[in-house]
Amino acid sequence: MAASQLSVQDQIRQLEDARKLVLGNASFYTQIIQGLLPIIGPSAQVELRRWGADFLAETFATPAIAPGQKESLSLLVMETLKLLLEDVNQDVLVLRSVIQTAASIYPLAVRWIINNSYDNHTWERMMAIKTRILRIWDTAPSTIRICCIKFAQRVVLAQTQSVHPEPRRGDVLDISLAMIPPNHPILEPPQLEAEATALLDRMLAILQENSSDAIIVDATLNTLSILIRNRPATSNRILNTILNFNPLKLANSPMTPKTKVLVKSLEKTTRMLLSHISRRTPPNSQTGRIQQYIERLMRSRAEIFDEGRAKRALAEPTDGLDAKRQRTGAVSSRPQIEITPLKPGPHTLADIFTYTKNDGLKNFNVSENVPAALAARVSVTTIARIDPQLLERAIQGVRDRLTALYEAQQESINPEKTPLDVEEDEDDYEPDYYTAEDTEQILNKLDSSPAGEHRELEKPAALGGLALPTFRLPPPPTLTGAHAVKAGDSSITKVFGTLRTLDDSAKKMKAGINRLAASSADRESWITLLSRLATRPNSEVDNASEDDEDTKVALLNTEVADTIRDCLFNYVLEDFRKRIDAAVAWLSEEWYNDSIQQRAASNSPHPHDVPLHYEKWTTRLLDGFMPYLHSQDKVLTRFLSELPSLTPAIISRVKQFCQDPSLVSLTITTLYYLVVMKPPARELALDAIQDIWTEYEDARPVAAKPLQRWRPAFMNAQAQQAITGSDAPTAAVVAS
């Protein structure tokens, strides 16, 4: 009821979620298919039928489902497949997927009937499906016919003798007549084998008739290779048919591009099939015929397509020479370029660099129509392939145009500045000749000038006055504290991204006690670098004034350091069992930094408190470990034993693990290990075990053993107290 109220799109969306579920866990296929069959019947919407049929084809083709489970599922879907096939107006896509599903379940149905001879109803449904598919084989579209060919192949495989002499010890997916016991009440091997032979002849008829449908022929050839490999009894008949097949028959028709593609496809499929057969099968009488056929096929293909190229070559002009005489002299194929001088008048910079006379190309704006990246790639490729002499000639043409414009500007006279009373015989004016600016100088001027000054370059008078200005980069923007922290966070994120890609199982080199920290690019070096970035740059922060610039920078470093600590914390918890060494290395750096900071603060003229990070982050890691620990976990023992220092706060946090009854044994075992193997922390660990014995009654049997050895006085006192407490009620009863 709820499904009928949803739209088709919503139902398909829910079905896609179900598909994702079964792709992740194949055990849900049975439940999904049972819920799917009622909504993909013949009366359902075509979109739902398409989705359901495609899902069924995908289900029975996937190797994720065991053959036994597929056999059970085939019994569920067989009736739905039969109803979908019997609809004469069925959608083509639905029909295609249904036939693919039927091809997958036919061997399963045969095996089911072999083992369950009483189930006559199931075999009748399978026969109805097979009859319907074979009836529409010849009249259906090509996309349906290739599925029918695949179904016929599976029928032939199931109804012929297998290569395995003992079928029950062979491949479980290889269903054949050899598995049918004698006197089976439903399956008759002679009748089934005769039907398989007829279907094989029907498949081979496609090749014997030299069909021009390349899709059907290719599908047939692809199915025959499996029959030759798994059913050797059919190999001679199949090979004789293939060797009599002419894949180049279409070459006799007019050679259109479509015909050329079809001929090449048929020839390649046939050649690859025969080559595969000759390699996989042992040498026999057919091997020589196959090699001769392949060689003849390759020669015919070469003659057909080389003849086409030769005809096109003869159609080219011969420049008036005799067609019988070959032209052996070198012909210059170098492209020529025509450089015309500029006409008098004003010109833009684009006119100077333009050689084409096509107005369309002149008016084409590259910056608005072609992306900069594409233009750069095309320009680089073109310059790399251009003739160097042609490029040099084009550059020289630009130089000549610039020189001509410069000379024209020098020869022009400004009437406002020329004196009127100059006598010709006293005119001893000698102009100074300056070197004309080249192309690079003009481009630099154009790039460095404001947008409003570009129009001045359009006038010839401006070309002579161009001077290369001094170019200065604009000052960088002021780096604020927020920007600095953001950039630091981005860098840290990238570093941790690189850290996660490194191999944790890389072989570590033992460099000795004098090795350099972070001297390589492995995971350990990156952890050392990040740990020291988080702990080392923050000294003397608390001892400076807030207005000091150095203090402000140090405060920013503190924010970045806290970010690194958070990232290290998350990195360790992502896989704490494999990254416990990274946690120990990081916390060792924190302990060393806290020790140095405390020593420096106590020795300074103004003693002050310093923030301590070691204890804080150690307890946070313990809190992060706890939900994922189990009673046999060794990571807690390793972690506590490798820490540089154990404080009462850390031991107290470990003691709280006993709140979980499953971790009592692990907690006491870890503390007892610290008692035995870590003498500096022995008293703290014994105090913790004693507190556990006192606070948690369920832990007393486990905690009693270490306490009897290391704290016998405490255990004796507890025993005496227990005896005294049990005698007091008894004395009260006697007195009464």
Side-chain angles (χ1 to χ4, degrees):
M1 180 67 66
S4 61
Q5 295 177 356
L6 296 175
S7 63
V8 176
Q9 290 76 11
D10 294 337
Q11 294 184 53
I12 292 179
R13 191 179 300 111
Q14 292 181 356
L15 292 174
E16 288 294 339
D17 295 337
R19 170 181 282 175
K20 295 177 182 178
L21 177 64
V22 296
L23 291 178
N25 189 350
S27 61
F28 292 105
Y29 268 107
T30 303
Q31 296 91 317
I32 298 300
I33 290 179
Q34 289 177 348
L36 176 66
L37 293 178
I39 64 175
I40 63 169
S43 60
Q45 294 288 336
V46 65
E47 292 84 359
L48 295 176
R49 280 182 280 137
R50 287 178 180 177
W51 194 97
D54 183 68
F55 180 77
L56 292 179
E58 176 185 331
T59 299
F60 287 96
T62 179
I65 307 178
Q69 186 180 359
K70 284 185 179 180
E71 187 175 303
S72 302
L73 292 175
S74 65
L75 304 178
L76 298 176
V77 305
M78 201 173 295
E79 182 63 26
T80 302
L81 297 180
K82 177 176 172 292
L83 295 176
L84 292 174
L85 279 171
E86 290 176 350
D87 187 0
V88 294
N89 298 322
Q90 188 60 265
D91 182 70
V92 174
L93 298 180
V94 176
L95 200 59
R96 183 181 64 182
S97 299
V98 169
I99 297 175
Q100 290 176 355
T101 308
S104 298
I105 70 172
Y106 186 82
L108 303 175
V110 172
R111 184 170 62 183
W112 170 262
I113 297 301
I114 291 174
N115 299 324
N116 302 273
S117 58
Y118 63 88
D119 195 357
N120 191 25
H121 183 62
T122 298
W123 185 244
E124 290 178 354
R125 282 187 294 185
M126 193 69 247
M127 289 299 98
I129 293 174
K130 180 169 67 172
T131 303
R132 175 61 179 167
I133 293 175
L134 298 180
R135 185 182 300 119
I136 66 175
W137 183 350
D138 294 330
T139 59
S142 298
T143 182
I144 303 297
R145 293 180 63 189
I146 60 178
C147 297
C148 295
I149 294 172
K150 182 62 179 179
F151 177 81
Q153 180 219 38
R154 300 303 295 269
V155 173
V156 173
L157 285 173
Q159 297 181 185
T160 51
Q161 295 292 336
S162 174
V163 295
H164 300 289
E166 298 183 12
R168 297 188 182 276
R169 299 179 60 184
D171 187 3
V172 296
L173 300 178
D174 189 8
I175 312 300
S176 65
L177 291 180
M179 300 177 63
I180 302 177
N183 301 322
H184 194 279
I186 297 179
L187 302 179
E188 299 179 2
Q191 182 180 355
L192 295 178
E193 190 171 8
E195 182 184 10
T197 303
L199 284 178
L200 179 60
D201 292 339
R202 189 173 177 181
M203 295 170 62
L204 296 178
I206 299 174
L207 303 180
Q208 294 170 351
E209 297 171 358
N210 284 326
S211 174
S212 60
D213 193 339
I215 298 177
I216 303 300
V217 175
D218 285 345
T220 304
L221 293 173
N222 290 329
T223 56
L224 293 178
S225 62
I226 301 177
L227 292 175
I228 294 175
R229 183 175 68 249
N230 294 337
R231 300 293 182 265
T234 64
S235 60
N236 288 330
R237 182 186 307 175
I238 295 174
L239 280 176
N240 290 331
T241 303
I242 296 176
L243 294 177
N244 292 326
F245 171 66
N246 182 18
L248 302 176
K249 180 183 178 181
L250 288 177
N252 297 327
S253 60
M255 189 63 72
T256 61
K258 179 181 179 180
T259 305
K260 185 183 298 184
V261 173
L262 295 178
V263 170
K264 288 183 178 180
S265 175
L266 293 174
E267 184 272 335
K268 184 177 181 180
T269 304
T270 307
R271 177 165 45 85
M272 295 300 293
L273 172 61
L274 293 175
S275 300
H276 174 74
I277 294 173
S278 63
R279 288 195 304 267
R280 294 292 298 269
T281 57
N284 51 36
S285 59
Q286 300 283 7
T287 305
R289 292 185 59 193
I290 292 175
Q291 295 297 333
Q292 293 177 2
Y293 183 89
I294 293 175
E295 294 176 359
R296 184 170 66 253
L297 193 63
M298 295 177 65
R299 286 197 303 268
S300 300
R301 179 184 183 277
E303 291 175 359
I304 291 173
F305 293 104
D306 289 347
E307 181 182 357
R309 286 194 290 268
K311 290 180 179 180
R312 287 193 298 270
L314 292 175
E316 296 178 357
T318 57
D319 295 337
L321 300 178
D322 190 356
K324 296 181 180 180
R325 306 180 70 180
Q326 298 294 329
R327 193 171 188 178
T328 59
V331 179
S332 176
S333 61
R334 181 176 301 167
Q336 302 296 327
I337 184 172
E338 182 180 358
I339 303 176
T340 57
L342 294 175
K343 298 179 181 180
H347 294 283
T348 62
L349 192 62
D351 294 337
I352 299 175
F353 286 87
T354 301
Y355 292 151
T356 182
K357 297 180 180 179
N358 191 329
D359 294 335
L361 291 177
K362 289 181 179 180
N363 298 326
F364 181 74
N365 193 340
V366 178
S367 61
E368 295 181 357
N369 297 279
V370 181
L374 178 60
R377 186 161 58 250
V378 171
S379 301
V380 171
T381 305
T382 305
I383 294 175
R385 296 182 179 180
I386 198 171
D387 187 5
Q389 296 183 3
L390 184 64
L391 180 62
E392 180 62 28
R393 184 181 176 190
I395 295 174
Q396 186 60 40
V398 174
R399 292 196 185 103
D400 295 342
R401 288 183 173 182
L402 290 172
T403 303
L405 288 176
Y406 177 77
E407 293 177 352
Q409 188 270 340
Q410 291 291 340
E411 293 176 358
S412 63
I413 300 176
N414 190 347
E416 298 179 358
K417 297 183 178 180
T418 303
L420 300 178
D421 55 350
V422 177
E423 297 181 2
E424 294 183 2
D425 53 355
E426 295 181 359
D427 185 12
D428 55 354
Y429 168 70
E430 296 180 2
D432 295 331
Y433 294 95
Y434 300 96
T435 304
E437 292 180 338
D438 57 8
T439 307
E440 184 178 359
Q441 292 175 335
I442 294 177
L443 290 177
N444 290 337
K445 174 65 177 179
L446 183 62
D447 293 337
S448 60
S449 61
E453 297 179 6
H454 288 187
R455 299 180 180 177
E456 297 297 332
L457 297 178
E458 299 179 0
K459 300 180 180 180
L463 293 173
L466 289 177
L468 187 63
T470 302
F471 181 74
R472 294 182 178 86
L473 289 173
T478 304
L479 183 63
T480 62
H483 291 166
V485 172
K486 184 177 180 181
D489 294 345
S490 176
S491 301
I492 293 168
T493 303
K494 292 181 180 178
V495 171
F496 275 93
T498 303
L499 188 62
R500 288 180 174 87
T501 61
L502 297 179
D503 187 8
D504 293 345
S505 60
K507 185 177 180 181
K508 297 181 180 179
M509 301 298 294
K510 296 182 179 180
I513 195 171
N514 294 324
R515 68 183 185 277
L516 295 176
S519 57
S520 60
D522 57 355
R523 186 177 70 96
E524 183 179 357
S525 299
W526 279 110
I527 292 296
T528 303
L529 176 63
L530 290 169
S531 301
R532 294 188 177 180
L533 283 177
T535 58
R536 303 288 175 93
N538 304 323
S539 60
E540 302 298 335
V541 174
D542 298 329
N543 199 22
S545 61
E546 297 183 357
D547 297 333
D548 190 3
E549 291 296 332
D550 295 337
T551 304
K552 295 180 180 180
V553 175
L555 290 174
L556 294 178
N557 291 338
T558 303
E559 296 183 15
V560 176
D562 292 338
T563 303
I564 297 176
R565 290 187 175 98
D566 289 332
C567 293
L568 283 171
F569 175 77
N570 295 328
Y571 172 76
V572 172
L573 286 188
E574 285 176 1
D575 192 356
F576 67 92
R577 289 185 174 85
K578 291 184 178 180
R579 298 171 181 174
I580 199 67
D581 56 338
V584 172
W586 165 39
L587 294 176
S588 298
E589 293 289 342
E590 294 285 4
W591 172 81
Y592 177 75
N593 176 63
D594 291 350
S595 302
I596 297 299
Q597 294 294 328
Q598 287 178 330
R599 186 184 307 171
S602 60
N603 296 332
S604 65
H606 305 283
H608 58 280
D609 296 332
V610 294
L612 301 179
H613 300 281
Y614 169 72
E615 188 176 282
K616 168 188 172 183
W617 290 101
T618 302
T619 53
R620 282 194 62 183
L621 282 176
L622 288 174
D623 293 339
F625 293 166
M626 181 190 173
Y628 306 102
L629 295 176
H630 54 82
S631 59
Q632 302 297 327
D633 216 331
K634 301 296 181 62
V635 66
L636 179 63
T637 305
R638 178 188 172 189
F639 177 65
L640 293 176
S641 63
E642 294 183 0
L643 287 179
S645 176
L646 294 176
T647 63
I650 297 175
I651 297 297
S652 176
R653 193 60 56 91
V654 175
K655 184 177 64 176
Q656 294 178 5
F657 286 5
C658 291
Q659 295 176 357
D660 186 353
S662 63
L663 299 180
V664 171
S665 178
L666 173 65
T667 304
I668 296 178
T669 303
T670 301
L671 292 173
Y672 185 58
Y673 181 87
L674 297 178
V675 170
V676 177
M677 305 301 296
K678 202 160 187 175
R682 178 175 297 167
E683 295 302 324
L684 285 175
L686 287 173
D687 292 341
I689 297 176
Q690 183 174 321
D691 294 341
I692 291 173
W693 194 93
T694 304
E695 298 176 8
Y696 303 98
E697 294 183 1
D698 297 339
R700 289 182 179 181
V702 184
K705 182 178 179 181
L707 289 176
Q708 287 176 355
R709 179 179 178 183
W710 297 94
R711 295 282 175 89
F714 172 78
M715 293 301 297
N716 293 334
Q718 294 297 325
Q720 186 66 30
Q721 183 179 357
I723 295 174
T724 304
S726 62
D727 291 343
T730 304
V733 171
V734 173
S736 62

